[in-house]
Amino acid sequence: QVQLVESGGGSVQAGGSLRLSCAVSGRTFSSYVMGWFRQAPGKEREFVAHIIWTGGNTYYADSVKGRFTIFRDNVRNTVYLRMNSLKPEDTAVYFCAATRYYSGRYKSPDEYNYWGQGTQVTVSS
């Protein structure tokens, strides 16, 4: 059973930075494709960022491109989301997700088999 545990959320002022972490249990972390999603109150879960097995290819939502960076450490079984220049509209619960059976639909929550419990990020103006 794969378990994902996020950490690093919190409250910051606009323009600030946070780094989210997602620790993944199991010995085969490097075989999982990883993603970050977020969900604001009253809104659907939306794609934020994605990284393939080796970390060589990354993809971002247009709304976070240039401000957020996803990266992974396959030794520590952890994926990170570095968030800079945070805006109030970034306020949401952030979830990490994993899948071993990647079909290329990295923006779709349905692509991912495993999810963390989420961590709250609040950005005040």
Side-chain angles (χ1 to χ4, degrees), residues 29-112:
F29 174 69
S30 60
S31 66
Y32 288 89
V33 169
M34 303 297 298
W36 283 97
F37 288 75
R38 65 187 182 187
Q39 188 165 17
K43 295 188 177 181
E44 293 186 352
R45 191 167 297 189
E46 66 172 358
F47 167 76
V48 175
H50 166 92
I51 189 166
I52 64 167
W53 305 271
T54 61
N57 285 1
T58 57
Y59 303 92
Y60 298 93
D62 288 342
S63 59
V64 306
K65 201 172 294 183
R67 300 188 297 121
F68 289 13
T69 303
I70 185 172
F71 57 102
R72 65 191 293 164
D73 185 335
N74 286 350
V75 174
R76 297 179 186 272
N77 283 14
T78 302
V79 63
Y80 303 92
L81 185 68
R82 179 68 180 176
M83 305 185 295
N84 294 329
S85 302
L86 282 161
K87 304 175 181 180
E89 50 264 43
D90 294 319
T91 295
V93 177
Y94 283 71
F95 299 89
C96 69
T99 183
R100 292 187 65 180
Y101 307 105
Y102 178 52
S103 69
R105 298 180 298 118
Y106 60 86
K107 293 184 179 181
S108 172
D110 294 339
E111 182 77 340
Y112 300 84

Coordinates of all heavy atoms in Angstrom, one line a residue, residues 29-112:
F29 N 9.5 4.3 -5.2 CA 9.1 5.7 -5.5 C 9.5 6.1 -6.9 O 8.8 6.8 -7.6 CB 9.8 6.6 -4.4 CG 9.5 8.0 -4.7 CD1 8.3 8.6 -4.5 CD2 10.6 8.9 -5.0 CE1 8.1 10.0 -4.8 CE2 10.4 10.2 -5.2 CZ 9.1 10.8 -5.1
S30 N 10.7 5.7 -7.3 CA 11.2 6.1 -8.6 C 10.4 5.7 -9.8 O 10.5 6.2 -10.9 CB 12.7 5.7 -8.8 OG 12.7 4.3 -8.8
S31 N 9.5 4.7 -9.6 CA 8.6 4.2 -10.6 C 7.3 4.9 -10.7 O 6.5 4.6 -11.6 CB 8.3 2.7 -10.5 OG 7.6 2.5 -9.3
Y32 N 7.1 5.9 -9.8 CA 5.8 6.7 -9.8 C 6.0 8.0 -10.5 O 7.0 8.7 -10.3 CB 5.4 6.9 -8.4 CG 4.8 5.6 -7.7 CD1 5.6 4.8 -7.0 CD2 3.5 5.3 -7.9 CE1 5.2 3.6 -6.5 CE2 3.0 4.1 -7.3 CZ 3.8 3.3 -6.6 OH 3.3 2.2 -6.0
V33 N 5.0 8.4 -11.3 CA 4.9 9.7 -11.8 C 4.1 10.5 -10.7 O 3.1 10.0 -10.2 CB 4.1 9.7 -13.1 CG1 3.8 11.1 -13.5 CG2 5.0 9.0 -14.2
M34 N 4.6 11.7 -10.4 CA 4.0 12.5 -9.3 C 3.4 13.8 -9.8 O 3.8 14.4 -10.8 CB 5.1 12.8 -8.3 CG 5.8 11.7 -7.8 SD 4.8 10.5 -6.8 CE 4.2 11.6 -5.5
G35 N 2.3 14.2 -9.1 CA 1.7 15.5 -9.4 C 1.2 16.2 -8.2 O 1.1 15.6 -7.1
W36 N 1.1 17.5 -8.3 CA 0.5 18.4 -7.3 C -0.8 18.9 -7.8 O -0.9 19.4 -9.0 CB 1.4 19.5 -6.9 CG 2.5 19.1 -6.0 CD1 3.8 18.8 -6.4 CD2 2.5 18.9 -4.6 NE1 4.6 18.4 -5.3 CE2 3.8 18.5 -4.1 CE3 1.5 19.1 -3.6 CZ2 4.1 18.3 -2.8 CZ3 1.8 18.9 -2.3 CH2 3.1 18.5 -1.9
F37 N -1.8 18.9 -7.0 CA -3.1 19.5 -7.3 C -3.5 20.4 -6.2 O -3.0 20.4 -5.1 CB -4.2 18.4 -7.5 CG -4.0 17.7 -8.8 CD1 -3.1 16.7 -8.9 CD2 -4.9 17.9 -9.9 CE1 -2.9 16.0 -10.1 CE2 -4.8 17.2 -11.1 CZ -3.8 16.2 -11.2
R38 N -4.5 21.3 -6.4 CA -5.0 22.1 -5.3 C -6.5 22.2 -5.5 O -7.1 22.1 -6.6 CB -4.4 23.5 -5.3 CG -4.6 24.3 -6.5 CD -3.8 25.6 -6.5 NE -4.1 26.5 -7.6 CZ -3.4 27.6 -7.8 NH1 -2.3 27.9 -7.0 NH2 -3.7 28.3 -8.9
Q39 N -7.2 22.5 -4.4 CA -8.6 22.7 -4.4 C -9.0 23.8 -3.4 O -8.7 23.8 -2.2 CB -9.3 21.4 -4.0 CG -10.8 21.5 -4.2 CD -11.5 20.1 -4.1 OE1 -10.9 19.1 -3.6 NE2 -12.7 20.0 -4.6
A40 N -9.6 24.9 -4.0 CA -10.1 26.0 -3.2 C -11.5 25.7 -2.8 O -12.2 25.0 -3.5 CB -9.9 27.3 -4.0
P41 N -12.0 26.4 -1.8 CA -13.4 26.2 -1.4 C -14.4 26.5 -2.5 O -14.3 27.5 -3.1 CB -13.6 27.2 -0.2 CG -12.2 27.3 0.3 CD -11.3 27.3 -0.8
G42 N -15.3 25.5 -2.7 CA -16.3 25.7 -3.7 C -15.8 25.5 -5.2 O -16.6 25.7 -6.1
K43 N -14.6 25.1 -5.3 CA -14.0 24.9 -6.7 C -13.6 23.4 -6.8 O -13.4 22.7 -5.9 CB -12.9 25.8 -6.9 CG -13.3 27.3 -6.9 CD -12.1 28.2 -7.4 CE -12.5 29.6 -7.5 NZ -11.3 30.5 -7.9
E44 N -13.5 23.1 -8.1 CA -13.0 21.7 -8.4 C -11.5 21.6 -8.2 O -10.8 22.6 -8.2 CB -13.3 21.4 -9.9 CG -14.8 21.2 -10.1 CD -15.1 20.7 -11.5 OE1 -14.1 20.6 -12.3 OE2 -16.2 20.4 -11.8
R45 N -11.0 20.4 -8.0 CA -9.6 20.2 -7.9 C -8.9 20.5 -9.2 O -9.4 20.0 -10.2 CB -9.3 18.7 -7.4 CG -7.9 18.4 -7.0 CD -7.8 17.1 -6.3 NE -8.6 17.1 -5.1 CZ -8.6 16.1 -4.2 NH1 -7.8 15.0 -4.4 NH2 -9.4 16.1 -3.1
E46 N -7.8 21.2 -9.1 CA -7.1 21.6 -10.4 C -5.7 21.2 -10.3 O -5.0 21.2 -9.3 CB -7.3 23.1 -10.6 CG -6.6 24.0 -9.6 CD -6.6 25.5 -10.0 OE1 -7.1 25.8 -11.1 OE2 -6.0 26.3 -9.2
F47 N -5.2 21.0 -11.5 CA -3.8 20.6 -11.7 C -2.9 21.8 -11.4 O -3.2 22.9 -11.8 CB -3.6 20.1 -13.2 CG -2.2 20.0 -13.6 CD1 -1.4 19.0 -13.2 CD2 -1.6 21.0 -14.4 CE1 -0.1 18.8 -13.6 CE2 -0.3 20.9 -14.8 CZ 0.5 19.8 -14.4
V48 N -1.7 21.5 -10.8 CA -0.7 22.5 -10.5 C 0.6 22.2 -11.2 O 1.1 23.0 -11.9 CB -0.5 22.6 -9.0 CG1 0.6 23.6 -8.7 CG2 -1.8 23.1 -8.3
A49 N 1.1 21.0 -10.9 CA 2.4 20.6 -11.5 C 2.6 19.1 -11.6 O 1.9 18.4 -10.8 CB 3.5 21.2 -10.6
H50 N 3.5 18.7 -12.4 CA 3.7 17.3 -12.6 C 5.2 17.0 -12.9 O 5.9 17.8 -13.5 CB 2.8 16.9 -13.9 CG 3.1 15.6 -14.5 ND1 2.5 14.4 -14.1 CD2 4.0 15.2 -15.4 CE1 3.0 13.4 -14.8 NE2 3.9 13.9 -15.6
I51 N 5.7 15.8 -12.5 CA 7.0 15.4 -12.8 C 7.1 14.0 -13.0 O 6.5 13.1 -12.4 CB 7.9 15.8 -11.6 CG1 9.4 15.7 -11.9 CG2 7.5 15.1 -10.3 CD1 10.3 16.4 -10.9
I52 N 7.9 13.6 -14.1 CA 8.0 12.2 -14.4 C 9.0 11.5 -13.5 O 9.6 12.0 -12.6 CB 8.4 12.0 -15.9 CG1 9.8 12.6 -16.2 CG2 7.3 12.7 -16.8 CD1 10.3 12.2 -17.5
W53 N 9.3 10.2 -13.8 CA 10.0 9.3 -12.9 C 11.4 9.9 -12.6 O 11.8 9.9 -11.4 CB 10.2 8.0 -13.6 CG 8.9 7.3 -14.0 CD1 8.2 6.5 -13.2 CD2 8.2 7.4 -15.2 NE1 7.0 6.1 -13.9 CE2 7.1 6.7 -15.2 CE3 8.5 8.1 -16.4 CZ2 6.2 6.6 -16.2 CZ3 7.6 8.0 -17.5 CH2 6.4 7.2 -17.3
T54 N 12.1 10.3 -13.6 CA 13.5 10.7 -13.4 C 13.6 12.2 -13.0 O 14.7 12.7 -12.6 CB 14.4 10.5 -14.6 OG1 13.8 11.3 -15.7 CG2 14.3 9.1 -15.1
G55 N 12.5 12.9 -13.1 CA 12.6 14.4 -12.8 C 13.0 15.2 -14.0 O 13.1 16.4 -13.9
G56 N 13.2 14.6 -15.1 CA 13.7 15.3 -16.3 C 12.7 16.2 -17.0 O 13.0 17.2 -17.5
N57 N 11.4 15.7 -16.9 CA 10.3 16.5 -17.5 C 9.4 17.0 -16.5 O 8.9 16.2 -15.6 CB 9.6 15.6 -18.5 CG 10.3 15.4 -19.8 OD1 11.5 15.9 -20.0 ND2 9.8 14.7 -20.7
T58 N 9.0 18.3 -16.5 CA 8.1 18.8 -15.6 C 7.1 19.7 -16.4 O 7.4 20.2 -17.5 CB 8.8 19.8 -14.6 OG1 9.5 20.8 -15.3 CG2 9.7 19.0 -13.7
Y59 N 5.9 19.8 -15.9 CA 4.8 20.5 -16.5 C 4.1 21.3 -15.4 O 3.9 20.9 -14.3 CB 3.8 19.6 -17.2 CG 4.4 18.7 -18.2 CD1 4.9 17.4 -17.8 CD2 4.6 19.1 -19.5 CE1 5.5 16.6 -18.8 CE2 5.2 18.3 -20.4 CZ 5.6 17.0 -20.1 OH 6.2 16.2 -21.0
Y60 N 3.6 22.5 -15.8 CA 2.9 23.4 -14.9 C 1.6 24.0 -15.4 O 1.5 24.2 -16.6 CB 3.9 24.5 -14.5 CG 5.1 24.1 -13.8 CD1 6.3 23.9 -14.6 CD2 5.2 24.0 -12.5 CE1 7.5 23.5 -14.0 CE2 6.4 23.5 -11.9 CZ 7.5 23.3 -12.6 OH 8.7 22.9 -12.0
A61 N 0.7 24.3 -14.5 CA -0.4 25.0 -14.9 C 0.0 26.5 -15.3 O 1.0 27.0 -14.7 CB -1.5 25.1 -13.8
D62 N -0.7 27.1 -16.2 CA -0.3 28.4 -16.7 C -0.3 29.4 -15.5 O 0.5 30.3 -15.4 CB -1.2 28.9 -17.8 CG -1.0 28.2 -19.1 OD1 0.1 27.5 -19.2 OD2 -1.9 28.2 -19.9
S63 N -1.2 29.2 -14.6 CA -1.3 30.1 -13.4 C -0.2 30.1 -12.5 O 0.0 31.1 -11.7 CB -2.6 29.8 -12.7 OG -2.6 28.5 -12.2
V64 N 0.7 29.1 -12.5 CA 1.8 29.0 -11.6 C 3.1 29.0 -12.3 O 4.2 29.0 -11.6 CB 1.7 27.8 -10.7 CG1 0.3 27.7 -10.0 CG2 1.9 26.5 -11.4
K65 N 3.1 28.9 -13.6 CA 4.4 28.8 -14.4 C 5.3 30.0 -14.1 O 4.8 31.2 -14.1 CB 4.0 28.7 -15.8 CG 5.1 28.2 -16.7 CD 4.6 27.9 -18.1 CE 3.5 26.9 -18.2 NZ 3.1 26.6 -19.6
G66 N 6.5 29.7 -13.8 CA 7.5 30.8 -13.5 C 7.5 31.1 -12.0 O 8.5 31.8 -11.5
R67 N 6.6 30.7 -11.2 CA 6.5 30.9 -9.8 C 6.7 29.7 -8.9 O 7.3 29.7 -7.9 CB 5.2 31.6 -9.4 CG 4.9 32.9 -10.1 CD 3.7 33.6 -9.5 NE 2.5 32.8 -9.7 CZ 1.7 32.3 -8.7 NH1 2.0 32.6 -7.4 NH2 0.6 31.6 -9.0
F68 N 6.2 28.6 -9.4 CA 6.3 27.3 -8.7 C 7.3 26.4 -9.4 O 7.5 26.4 -10.6 CB 4.9 26.6 -8.7 CG 3.9 27.2 -7.9 CD1 4.0 28.5 -7.3 CD2 2.7 26.6 -7.6 CE1 3.1 29.1 -6.6 CE2 1.7 27.1 -6.8 CZ 1.9 28.4 -6.3
T69 N 8.0 25.5 -8.6 CA 8.9 24.5 -9.1 C 8.6 23.2 -8.5 O 8.6 23.1 -7.2 CB 10.3 25.0 -8.9 OG1 10.6 26.2 -9.5 CG2 11.3 23.9 -9.5
I70 N 8.5 22.2 -9.3 CA 8.3 20.8 -8.7 C 9.6 20.1 -8.9 O 10.3 20.2 -10.0 CB 7.1 20.1 -9.4 CG1 6.9 18.7 -8.8 CG2 7.3 19.9 -10.9 CD1 5.6 18.0 -9.3
F71 N 10.0 19.3 -7.9 CA 11.2 18.5 -8.0 C 11.1 17.4 -7.1 O 10.3 17.4 -6.2 CB 12.5 19.3 -7.8 CG 12.6 20.0 -6.5 CD1 13.4 19.5 -5.4 CD2 11.9 21.2 -6.2 CE1 13.5 20.2 -4.2 CE2 12.0 21.9 -5.0 CZ 12.8 21.4 -4.0
R72 N 12.0 16.3 -7.3 CA 11.8 15.1 -6.6 C 13.2 14.6 -6.1 O 14.2 14.9 -6.8 CB 11.1 14.0 -7.4 CG 11.8 13.6 -8.6 CD 10.8 12.7 -9.5 NE 10.5 11.5 -8.8 CZ 9.5 10.7 -9.2 NH1 8.7 11.1 -10.2 NH2 9.2 9.6 -8.5
D73 N 13.2 13.9 -5.1 CA 14.4 13.3 -4.5 C 14.1 11.8 -4.4 O 13.4 11.4 -3.5 CB 14.8 13.9 -3.2 CG 16.1 13.3 -2.6 OD1 16.5 12.2 -3.0 OD2 16.7 14.0 -1.8
N74 N 14.6 11.0 -5.4 CA 14.3 9.6 -5.4 C 15.0 8.8 -4.3 O 14.7 7.6 -4.2 CB 14.6 9.0 -6.8 CG 13.5 9.4 -7.8 OD1 12.5 10.0 -7.4 ND2 13.8 9.2 -9.1
V75 N 16.0 9.4 -3.7 CA 16.6 8.7 -2.5 C 15.8 8.9 -1.3 O 15.6 8.0 -0.5 CB 18.0 9.3 -2.3 CG1 18.7 8.7 -1.1 CG2 18.9 9.0 -3.6
R76 N 15.3 10.1 -1.1 CA 14.4 10.4 0.1 C 13.0 10.1 -0.1 O 12.1 10.3 0.8 CB 14.6 11.9 0.4 CG 16.0 12.3 0.8 CD 16.0 13.8 1.1 NE 17.4 14.2 1.4 CZ 18.0 14.2 2.6 NH1 17.3 13.8 3.6 NH2 19.2 14.6 2.7
N77 N 12.6 9.6 -1.3 CA 11.2 9.2 -1.6 C 10.3 10.4 -1.4 O 9.2 10.3 -0.8 CB 10.7 8.0 -0.8 CG 11.2 6.7 -1.3 OD1 12.1 6.7 -2.1 ND2 10.7 5.6 -0.8
T78 N 10.7 11.6 -1.8 CA 9.9 12.8 -1.6 C 9.8 13.6 -2.8 O 10.8 13.7 -3.6 CB 10.6 13.6 -0.5 OG1 10.7 12.8 0.7 CG2 9.8 14.8 -0.1
V79 N 8.7 14.2 -3.0 CA 8.5 15.2 -4.1 C 8.2 16.5 -3.4 O 7.5 16.6 -2.4 CB 7.4 14.8 -5.1 CG1 6.0 14.7 -4.4 CG2 7.3 15.7 -6.3
Y80 N 8.7 17.6 -4.0 CA 8.5 18.9 -3.4 C 7.8 19.9 -4.4 O 7.8 19.7 -5.6 CB 9.9 19.5 -3.1 CG 10.7 18.7 -2.2 CD1 11.6 17.7 -2.7 CD2 10.7 18.8 -0.8 CE1 12.4 16.9 -1.9 CE2 11.5 18.0 0.0 CZ 12.3 17.1 -0.5 OH 13.1 16.3 0.3
L81 N 7.2 20.9 -3.8 CA 6.7 22.0 -4.6 C 7.1 23.3 -4.0 O 6.7 23.7 -2.9 CB 5.2 22.0 -4.7 CG 4.5 23.0 -5.6 CD1 4.8 22.7 -7.0 CD2 3.0 23.0 -5.4
R82 N 8.1 23.9 -4.7 CA 8.6 25.2 -4.2 C 7.7 26.3 -4.8 O 7.5 26.4 -6.0 CB 10.0 25.4 -4.7 CG 10.6 26.8 -4.3 CD 10.8 26.9 -2.8 NE 11.4 28.2 -2.4 CZ 11.6 28.5 -1.1 NH1 11.2 27.7 -0.1 NH2 12.1 29.7 -0.8
M83 N 7.1 27.2 -3.9 CA 6.1 28.2 -4.4 C 6.7 29.5 -4.0 O 6.8 29.8 -2.8 CB 4.8 27.9 -3.7 CG 4.2 26.5 -3.9 SD 2.6 26.3 -3.3 CE 2.9 26.5 -1.5
N84 N 7.0 30.3 -5.0 CA 7.4 31.7 -4.8 C 6.4 32.7 -5.3 O 5.5 32.3 -6.0 CB 8.7 31.9 -5.5 CG 9.9 31.1 -5.0 OD1 10.0 30.8 -3.8 ND2 10.8 30.7 -5.9
S85 N 6.5 33.9 -4.9 CA 5.7 35.0 -5.3 C 4.2 34.6 -5.1 O 3.4 34.8 -6.1 CB 6.0 35.4 -6.8 OG 7.3 35.8 -6.9
L86 N 3.9 34.1 -4.0 CA 2.5 33.6 -3.8 C 1.5 34.8 -3.8 O 1.7 35.9 -3.4 CB 2.4 32.9 -2.4 CG 3.0 31.5 -2.4 CD1 3.3 31.1 -1.0 CD2 2.1 30.6 -3.1
K87 N 0.3 34.4 -4.3 CA -0.8 35.3 -4.5 C -2.0 34.8 -3.7 O -2.1 33.6 -3.5 CB -1.2 35.4 -6.0 CG -0.1 35.8 -6.9 CD -0.5 35.7 -8.4 CE 0.6 36.1 -9.3 NZ 0.2 36.0 -10.7
P88 N -2.9 35.7 -3.3 CA -4.1 35.3 -2.6 C -4.9 34.2 -3.4 O -5.4 33.3 -2.7 CB -4.9 36.6 -2.5 CG -3.9 37.7 -2.4 CD -2.8 37.2 -3.4
E89 N -4.9 34.2 -4.7 CA -5.6 33.2 -5.4 C -4.9 31.9 -5.4 O -5.5 30.9 -5.9 CB -5.8 33.7 -6.9 CG -4.5 34.2 -7.6 CD -4.4 35.7 -7.5 OE1 -4.6 36.3 -6.5 OE2 -4.0 36.2 -8.6
D90 N -3.7 31.8 -4.8 CA -3.1 30.5 -4.6 C -3.6 29.8 -3.4 O -3.3 28.6 -3.1 CB -1.6 30.6 -4.5 CG -0.9 31.1 -5.7 OD1 -1.3 30.6 -6.8 OD2 0.0 32.0 -5.6
T91 N -4.4 30.4 -2.6 CA -5.0 29.8 -1.4 C -5.9 28.6 -1.7 O -6.8 28.7 -2.6 CB -5.9 30.9 -0.6 OG1 -5.0 31.9 -0.2 CG2 -6.6 30.2 0.5
A92 N -5.5 27.5 -1.1 CA -6.2 26.2 -1.4 C -5.6 25.1 -0.5 O -4.6 25.3 0.2 CB -6.0 25.8 -2.9
V93 N -6.3 24.0 -0.5 CA -5.7 22.8 0.0 C -4.9 22.1 -1.1 O -5.4 21.9 -2.2 CB -6.7 21.8 0.5 CG1 -6.0 20.5 1.0 CG2 -7.5 22.5 1.7
Y94 N -3.6 21.9 -0.9 CA -2.7 21.3 -1.9 C -2.6 19.8 -1.6 O -2.3 19.4 -0.5 CB -1.4 22.0 -1.8 CG -1.4 23.3 -2.5 CD1 -2.1 24.4 -1.9 CD2 -0.8 23.5 -3.7 CE1 -2.1 25.6 -2.5 CE2 -0.8 24.8 -4.4 CZ -1.5 25.8 -3.8 OH -1.6 27.0 -4.4
F95 N -2.7 19.0 -2.7 CA -2.6 17.6 -2.6 C -1.5 17.1 -3.5 O -1.3 17.6 -4.6 CB -3.9 16.9 -3.1 CG -5.1 17.3 -2.3 CD1 -5.9 18.4 -2.6 CD2 -5.5 16.5 -1.2 CE1 -7.0 18.7 -1.9 CE2 -6.7 16.8 -0.5 CZ -7.4 17.9 -0.8
C96 N -0.7 16.1 -3.0 CA 0.2 15.4 -4.0 C -0.5 14.1 -4.4 O -1.4 13.5 -3.7 CB 1.5 15.1 -3.4 SG 1.6 14.0 -2.0
A97 N -0.1 13.6 -5.5 CA -0.7 12.4 -6.1 C 0.3 11.6 -6.9 O 1.3 12.1 -7.3 CB -1.8 12.8 -7.1
A98 N 0.1 10.3 -7.0 CA 1.0 9.4 -7.6 C 0.4 8.4 -8.5 O -0.8 8.0 -8.2 CB 1.9 8.7 -6.5
T99 N 1.0 8.0 -9.5 CA 0.6 6.9 -10.4 C 1.7 6.1 -10.9 O 2.8 6.7 -11.3 CB -0.4 7.4 -11.5 OG1 -0.8 6.2 -12.2 CG2 0.4 8.3 -12.4
R100 N 1.6 4.8 -11.1 CA 2.6 4.0 -11.8 C 2.2 3.8 -13.2 O 3.1 3.4 -14.0 CB 2.8 2.7 -11.1 CG 3.4 2.7 -9.7 CD 3.7 1.4 -9.2 NE 4.7 0.7 -10.0 CZ 5.2 -0.5 -9.7 NH1 4.7 -1.2 -8.7 NH2 6.1 -1.1 -10.4
Y101 N 1.0 3.9 -13.6 CA 0.5 3.6 -14.9 C 0.1 4.9 -15.6 O -1.1 5.3 -15.7 CB -0.7 2.7 -14.8 CG -0.4 1.5 -13.9 CD1 -0.8 1.3 -12.6 CD2 0.5 0.5 -14.4 CE1 -0.5 0.2 -11.8 CE2 0.8 -0.6 -13.6 CZ 0.3 -0.7 -12.4 OH 0.7 -1.8 -11.6
Y102 N 1.1 5.5 -16.1 CA 0.9 6.9 -16.7 C 0.6 6.8 -18.1 O 1.3 6.2 -18.9 CB 2.3 7.6 -16.5 CG 2.3 9.0 -17.0 CD1 1.3 10.0 -16.7 CD2 3.3 9.4 -17.8 CE1 1.4 11.2 -17.2 CE2 3.4 10.7 -18.3 CZ 2.4 11.6 -18.0 OH 2.5 12.9 -18.5
S103 N -0.5 7.5 -18.5 CA -0.9 7.5 -19.9 C -0.7 8.8 -20.6 O -1.1 8.9 -21.7 CB -2.4 7.1 -20.0 OG -3.2 8.1 -19.4
G104 N -0.2 9.7 -19.8 CA 0.1 11.1 -20.4 C -0.9 12.1 -20.1 O -0.7 13.3 -20.4
R105 N -2.0 11.8 -19.4 CA -3.0 12.7 -19.0 C -2.7 13.4 -17.7 O -3.5 13.2 -16.7 CB -4.4 12.1 -19.0 CG -4.8 11.5 -20.4 CD -6.2 10.9 -20.3 NE -6.2 9.8 -19.4 CZ -7.0 9.7 -18.3 NH1 -7.8 10.7 -18.0 NH2 -7.0 8.6 -17.5
Y106 N -1.6 14.0 -17.6 CA -1.1 14.5 -16.3 C -1.9 15.6 -15.7 O -1.8 15.8 -14.5 CB 0.4 15.0 -16.5 CG 0.5 16.1 -17.4 CD1 0.4 17.5 -17.0 CD2 0.9 15.9 -18.8 CE1 0.5 18.5 -17.9 CE2 1.1 17.0 -19.6 CZ 0.9 18.3 -19.2 OH 1.1 19.3 -20.1
K107 N -2.8 16.2 -16.4 CA -3.6 17.3 -15.8 C -4.9 16.7 -15.2 O -5.6 17.4 -14.5 CB -4.0 18.3 -16.9 CG -2.8 19.1 -17.4 CD -3.3 20.2 -18.3 CE -2.2 21.1 -18.8 NZ -2.7 22.1 -19.8
S108 N -5.2 15.4 -15.5 CA -6.4 14.9 -15.0 C -6.3 14.2 -13.6 O -5.4 13.3 -13.5 CB -7.0 13.9 -16.0 OG -8.1 13.2 -15.4
P109 N -7.1 14.5 -12.6 CA -7.0 13.8 -11.3 C -7.2 12.3 -11.5 O -6.7 11.5 -10.7 CB -8.1 14.5 -10.5 CG -8.3 15.8 -11.1 CD -8.0 15.6 -12.6
D110 N -8.0 11.9 -12.5 CA -8.3 10.5 -12.7 C -7.0 9.7 -13.1 O -7.1 8.5 -13.0 CB -9.3 10.4 -13.8 CG -10.7 10.9 -13.4 OD1 -10.9 11.1 -12.2 OD2 -11.5 11.2 -14.3
E111 N -6.0 10.4 -13.5 CA -4.8 9.7 -13.9 C -4.0 9.1 -12.7 O -3.2 8.2 -12.9 CB -3.8 10.7 -14.6 CG -2.5 10.2 -15.2 CD -2.7 9.4 -16.5 OE1 -3.8 8.9 -16.8 OE2 -1.7 9.2 -17.2
Y112 N -4.3 9.6 -11.6 CA -3.5 9.3 -10.4 C -4.2 8.3 -9.5 O -5.4 8.4 -9.2 CB -3.1 10.5 -9.6 CG -2.3 11.5 -10.5 CD1 -3.0 12.4 -11.3 CD2 -1.0 11.5 -10.4 CE1 -2.3 13.3 -12.1 CE2 -0.2 12.4 -11.2 CZ -0.9 13.3 -12.1 OH -0.2 14.1 -12.9

